[in-house]
Amino acid sequence: MKSKVTSIILCSSKELRITFVFIIDDMDALQVITYTGVFVFAVTGVLKSRTKRFDIFGAVVLAFVTAYGGGTIRDLLIGVRPVNWVNDNLAIVIVLFSTIITFFFKLNTTLIKKLIFLVDAFGIGLFTVAGIQIALQAGISSGYSLVMGIITATFGGLLADVLCNKVPGLLKPGELYATACLIGGSLYLLMVKYHLQSETSMIIGILITASIRIYAIRKKLQLPRI
């Protein structure tokens, strides 16, 4: 696999020129989906930190936990060493970039909550599909790959909610959080089984998961209570 060099010029003048150079492998569809999910969940983490009035350091920490918490737990469970973000410079760049751009958008609390919901809905779709595919590539069976997809999509948000001293959305009644991942992930596995085109299957799986999550909240659907 060939590599390409991307240069990001942060400051340029006759006296000073600071250039950060990142070596980025040519990405396949899974990598694109994974990094998109990282960005989306990092934004979610920053928005959550704003509702708690964290400082910039706290926002970066929460962004990183939200973006990489679920994937880290998945990798530890399936024996991937090192875990996905170790030695990945792009991982840090994405988290910092999402924090910076979100920092400059001054939104009211109501709008922030709506934005968190929409961004998070697509985030769980992205990470459900990515988590399943990574587990399958590691030789995990379809059933447990589905579990790994759900963990990837939901446990980062769970850890972030715990750090914010909130009841995790994963455990709240009426959220259909993991259920959306379960349905969308199952349909994605079905498409994989019947050898549908890879990128198409991924996109469909993402959209179905996000749509179920959005529809369930708007229609106030929920699972039976004990």
Side-chain angles (χ1 to χ4, degrees), residues 11-18:
C11 179
S12 180
S13 67
K14 292 181 180 179
E15 296 79 18
L16 180 64
R17 181 182 179 90
I18 302 174

Side-chain angles (χ1 to χ4, degrees), residues 81-154:
R81 298 291 189 279
V83 295
N84 60 94
W85 51 268
V86 174
N87 295 325
D88 186 354
N89 293 329
L90 187 56
I92 304 298
V93 171
I94 291 174
V95 171
L96 291 176
F97 180 68
S98 65
T99 304
I100 291 169
I101 64 170
T102 308
F103 176 79
F104 287 106
F105 286 95
K106 302 300 181 182
L107 306 172
N108 61 55
T109 303
T110 302
L111 189 56
I112 288 175
K113 289 180 179 178
K114 289 181 179 179
L115 193 56
I116 288 174
F117 166 64
L118 290 174
V119 171
D120 189 65
F122 283 97
I124 65 171
L126 289 161
F127 268 13
T128 297
V129 169
I132 289 172
Q133 191 59 36
I134 290 169
L136 289 173
Q137 290 179 354
I140 307 300
S141 67
S142 295
Y144 282 104
S145 291
L146 178 58
V147 174
M148 293 302 109
I150 295 172
I151 288 174
T152 306
T154 60

